[in-house]
Amino acid sequence: MNIVVKESYEEMSSACAEYIGEYIKANSGKVLCFAAGDTPLGILQNLIKMQEKGEINLASMYYAGLDEWVELGYEDKGSCKQFMEDNFYTPAKIPVENIRVFDGKANPDEETKAVLEFIKNKGGLGMAVLGIGMNGHIGFNEPGTSVDFAGGKILLSESSVTVGQKYFNKKYNLKYGVTLGIKTLVESEKVVLIANGEKKADIVANSLKEKENPAFPASYLTTHSDYHVFLDNAAYFKIKS
Ligand code: GLP
């Protein structure tokens, strides 16, 4: 495990985008998978800037969805699909045929099958860039999810539903998510975990110190041979102490 710690969110985002950019330059045609949410926004903006400067070609890659709120589609503010399309796929001019994300309004089992097939047909996941939830979830793999779970519909924890309200402009009664499973994520050639802010410090420390503990889904990544963690100082400080 390689941990990179930067002073601020901006520095962390730029360092991680540089790292991903180098991967893109050397691995045209591989499948990337990005978490939606607040944490990756700076990275996605940096990647678009790098493309505008002619440093990388984002359309040379394939993109698989990581997760989605069941019942939410592109038209719903806060859906992962809307976040990724508006903040990345559209401004980065990625051809639609290079993208397969979850549609939260469609059947979750069929969506999972389609996303997993897309990944398989394109040679497997090359790099997964994951955020971490306040309760330690990666994608929507909630605490207690089996390491053998390849993906599918999942009952959301109370924490995920409550914290998730920050993305929405109205109150939803969401119960389920759909996600790539831990098994699929640990099979990615490279895994990147990103976290910032003091509020994530405890869960980050536990998720990196523990090994394969179901209470901390991200702890299954610690034994991955190509695992890179990008943090700001605030998210790192509990690891130091
Ligand atoms: C969300 C998503 C995850 C995301 C995590 C952290 O609910 N299901 O894929 O990585 O929680 O989100 P944020 O970066 O907004 O803190």
Side-chain angles (χ1 to χ4, degrees), residues 44-60:
L44 299 173
Q45 290 169 341
N46 273 287
L47 287 171
I48 293 167
K49 275 189 212 143
M50 288 160 73
Q51 171 161 271
E52 283 165 0
K53 284 194 239 157
E55 295 169 5
I56 53 172
N57 176 15
L58 293 167
S60 68

Side-chain angles (χ1 to χ4, degrees), residues 107-155:
N107 178 294
D109 295 335
E110 283 167 21
E111 284 299 290
T112 305
K113 208 170 149 224
V115 177
L116 290 177
E117 254 171 44
F118 175 86
I119 292 172
K120 195 173 162 211
N121 291 341
K122 308 296 182 203
L125 269 186
M127 180 190 270
V129 181
L130 308 173
I132 185 163
M134 291 297 293
N135 66 350
H137 68 221
I138 46 171
F140 270 135
N141 292 276
E142 299 284 19
T145 305
S146 162
V147 68
D148 298 323
F149 180 58
K153 185 175 169 182
I154 201 154
L155 182 67

Side-chain angles (χ1 to χ4, degrees), residues 48-130:
I48 293 167
K49 275 189 212 143
M50 288 160 73
Q51 171 161 271
E52 283 165 0
K53 284 194 239 157
E55 295 169 5
I56 53 172
N57 176 15
L58 293 167
S60 68
M61 309 300 283
Y62 293 104
Y63 298 88
L66 172 63
D67 57 5
E68 186 56 279
W69 306 91
V70 167
E71 287 181 20
L72 300 195
Y74 174 77
E75 57 283 13
D76 301 305
K77 185 174 181 308
S79 67
C80 301
K81 191 175 170 99
Q82 189 193 81
F83 176 90
M84 286 305 297
E85 282 193 19
D86 290 0
N87 291 296
F88 189 66
Y89 298 136
T90 303
K93 302 184 177 65
I94 311 295
V96 282
E97 61 272 22
N98 287 27
I99 306 166
R100 184 58 169 94
V101 298
F102 291 94
D103 178 355
K105 288 205 187 294
N107 178 294
D109 295 335
E110 283 167 21
E111 284 299 290
T112 305
K113 208 170 149 224
V115 177
L116 290 177
E117 254 171 44
F118 175 86
I119 292 172
K120 195 173 162 211
N121 291 341
K122 308 296 182 203
L125 269 186
M127 180 190 270
V129 181
L130 308 173

